[in-house]
Amino acid sequence: MLAWTAPEVPHVLGSAPILEVFNTSSGRKEPTAPADKANAPASLYVCGITPYDATHMGHAATYVTFDLMHRTWLDNGRTVSYTQNITDVDDPLLERANATGVDWRDLAADQVQLFREDMQALNVIPPQNYVGAVESIDWLVPFIEQMLAEDVAYRVPAGDDGVEGDIYFDSAKAANGAWELGRVSGYDRKTMTEFFAERGGDPWREGKRDALDPLLWRAAREGEPSWDGRSLGTGRPGWHIECSVIARKTLPAPFTVQGGGSDLIFPHHEFSAGHAAAVDGKELATLYAHTGMVGLDGEKMSKSLGNLVLVSKLRADGVDPMAIRAALLSQHYRSDWFWTDELLARAQQRIATWRERIHGAGLAEATALLTRIRARMADDLNAPAALEAVDQWAQTEAEGSGEGAELIRNGLDALLGLKL
Ligand code: 5CA
Ligand code: ZN
């Protein structure tokens, strides 16, 4: 699928330490490159949207976070392969389409287009591979066929609706050196069970070998879209297999970082990793990075609750997208936080102050500022601390008459994606 137009990312002289990122799987901060190969190619997979509603601040915070990772790697002189999916067929999308009387394909296409516009406005570098679930069905069928052949997948007898042919993943049999249940999330069984039911799983389905086994292939049902799955029968893919297969088809195995919001740790990233490892015996990614949840008025911002602040709405109201981006950057990506009007107002104020101060920037102060920003970003993408460094610089007496302005402008763009 077409992504969006790539922004020019300025190249800035100087060097930065290797980026370290908190790995959910190990519970520690880890370098994203070997010490002796600081500029080794990097690869990133970030779980994309389910396009049934517009981009809210939670989505934006997540994609801007991984954009910071992308930019930090580019600044380290690394080539970056980046894949993002679009879950363009799944229960919530079909339910919304049915409820609103819109064709699910039109709903998805409209929302993906709005997402592209939001991402472009926020100066997010697009993925090279932007792949829809529907587009990946031909890739995914042979994966599931192989899993069935190796008995790490199995057919479940018809449930209440009498439909035969649903295929599930055998979590216990699939355990191998590269994955076992809990490898990614580290959660105990009780926590897994809770999240599985809350986040699209069906622990109650009869005939499964383990209540936590996830769906790989859903046999065709009346009124639901379906595709030819060869020996699987007609149907549509489960959710986790979509991301494993798209990642395996477009990135190295393992790739460097698997990313998404913390709501995806379990079951989604757990089983995406499990499916891939079951097929080729390799880990999905070397590191799993997760963003905290953004909320509004005391609740997680979510399409199902409807408590949303939309990027497109703020843009339509004339808010500078760079102020939106600065507001997102003002909170650490790993914390859960709440969007407020005050955060946006403060970001607008900061941008205005910086735009004013830059005219007097000298070269030495510019170089010193970039060094500070690089150090903070290399330490688990500490964007709030990087913005504080910019604030501190802006409070100092100007040392020049603009010789350093271009360097600061380029640096803030290259490293933070902020255009002054
Ligand atoms: N299509 C799947 C991933 S394969 C999905 O989760 N789609 S989504 O539209 O629900 O979310 C898109 C991305 O935004 C995911 O990475 C998700 O973890 C993240 N996200 C969703 N809600 C929030 C939130 N309130 N705060 C931060 N990130 C969020
Ligand atoms: Zn995903």
Side-chain angles (χ1 to χ4, degrees):
M1 218 176 275
L2 212 66
W4 53 96
T5 310
E8 279 290 332
V9 181
H11 179 73
V12 187
L13 284 182
S15 63
I18 290 175
L19 170 65
E20 290 207 352
V21 168
F22 184 85
N23 182 2
T24 303
S25 173
S26 67
R28 285 192 307 268
K29 267 193 246 180
E30 289 172 14
T32 57
D36 58 345
K37 272 207 202 146
N39 56 4
S43 37
L44 173 66
Y45 185 98
V46 180
C47 281
I49 55 165
T50 305
Y52 68 93
D53 212 335
T55 319
H56 62 59
M57 288 307 153
H59 304 132
T62 291
Y63 298 113
V64 164
T65 294
F66 291 100
D67 188 54
L68 294 174
M69 188 177 283
H70 195 167
R71 286 168 183 275
T72 305
W73 283 339
L74 292 177
D75 183 54
N76 279 315
R78 306 176 71 173
T79 49
V80 181
S81 310
Y82 180 12
T83 297
Q84 193 179 120
N85 68 304
I86 309 146
T87 308
D88 56 4
V89 59
D90 200 9
D91 297 342
L93 172 71
L94 299 174
E95 282 158 18
R96 176 67 65 92
N98 277 338
T100 52
V102 181
D103 186 287
W104 62 276
R105 281 159 293 221
D106 295 337
L107 176 61
D110 288 352
Q111 294 307 324
V112 170
Q113 185 50 29
L114 192 57
F115 177 72
R116 292 185 180 106
E117 289 162 16
D118 288 338
M119 290 297 107
Q120 198 159 341
L122 292 174
N123 201 22
V124 172
I125 305 172
Q128 288 100 352
N129 311 297
Y130 194 42
V131 186
V134 172
E135 287 177 312
S136 72
I137 290 174
D138 285 345
W139 291 345
L140 180 152
V141 168
F143 263 67
I144 304 178
E145 286 177 327
Q146 185 185 332
M147 288 160 112
L148 274 173
E150 292 171 5
D151 199 33
V152 292
Y154 58 97
R155 290 196 163 83
V156 165
D160 296 343
D161 62 5
V163 177
E164 298 272 356
D166 293 340
I167 299 170
Y168 281 78
F169 180 66
D170 190 326
S171 313
K173 282 228 178 77
N176 59 31
W179 181 83
E180 67 288 318
L181 191 61
R183 170 75 70 105
V184 173
S185 63
Y187 292 157
D188 59 25
R189 177 100 195 166
K190 183 169 169 286
T191 311
M192 289 188 200
T193 306
E194 241 170 67
F195 286 150
F196 189 73
E198 271 171 32
R199 300 173 178 170
D202 54 356
W204 48 80
R205 175 71 192 260
E206 302 231 340
K208 291 208 284 180
R209 294 177 185 167
D210 183 321
L212 294 182
D213 288 350
L215 179 75
L216 288 166
W217 185 256
R218 178 173 163 87
R221 258 83 172 171
E222 190 65 38
E224 290 184 15
S226 60
W227 289 265
D228 175 13
R230 303 201 310 208
S231 69
L232 309 181
T234 52
R236 61 183 167 99
W239 175 26
H240 321 305
I241 189 70
E242 164 193 344
C243 287
S244 324
V245 171
I246 294 173
R248 276 296 187 257
K249 285 285 180 182
T250 56
L251 298 175
F255 54 92
T256 315
V257 172
Q258 162 75 309
S262 59
D263 57 338
L264 299 186
I265 296 172
F266 192 90
H268 186 53
H269 287 172
E270 188 70 73
F271 288 122
S272 299
H275 297 343
V279 170
D280 62 17
K282 293 180 187 159
E283 298 203 38
L284 182 68
T286 51
L287 229 138
Y288 297 81
H290 293 101
T291 54
M293 288 293 108
V294 180
L296 185 73
D297 303 332
E299 296 254 34
K300 174 189 158 187
M301 204 178 278
S302 81
K303 290 182 270 207
S304 44
L305 287 175
N307 57 338
L308 307 176
V309 175
L310 303 179
V311 176
S312 46
K313 169 79 169 60
L314 291 182
R315 289 198 293 121
D317 292 345
V319 176
D320 177 358
M322 288 302 105
I324 304 175
R325 186 164 172 127
L328 298 170
L329 262 48
S330 72
Q331 305 301 307
H332 195 278
Y333 84 88
R334 282 210 280 135
S335 50
D336 297 328
W337 55 279
F338 293 99
W339 176 266
T340 60
D341 292 342
E342 291 70 43
L343 274 182
L344 180 61
R346 168 142 192 261
Q348 284 166 320
Q349 183 57 52
R350 284 173 122 171
I351 296 262
T353 306
W354 302 341
R355 281 183 176 147
E356 182 66 33
R357 170 67 175 80
I358 203 167
H359 300 297
L363 215 46
E365 58 176 301
T367 310
L369 173 58
L370 293 191
T371 303
R372 282 201 292 275
I373 294 175
R374 279 178 165 141
R376 286 161 171 80
M377 294 308 285
D379 179 12
D380 201 19
L381 303 173
N382 195 343
L387 297 197
E388 277 158 26
V390 187
D391 285 338
Q392 281 160 11
W393 156 77
Q395 279 158 18
T396 59
E397 203 61 44
E399 290 174 7
S401 51
E403 317 83 88
E406 192 183 333
L407 187 56
I408 293 182
R409 222 173 253 126
N410 286 345
L412 291 193
D413 186 354
L415 302 169
L416 302 175
L418 289 174
K419 286 185 180 295
L420 285 195

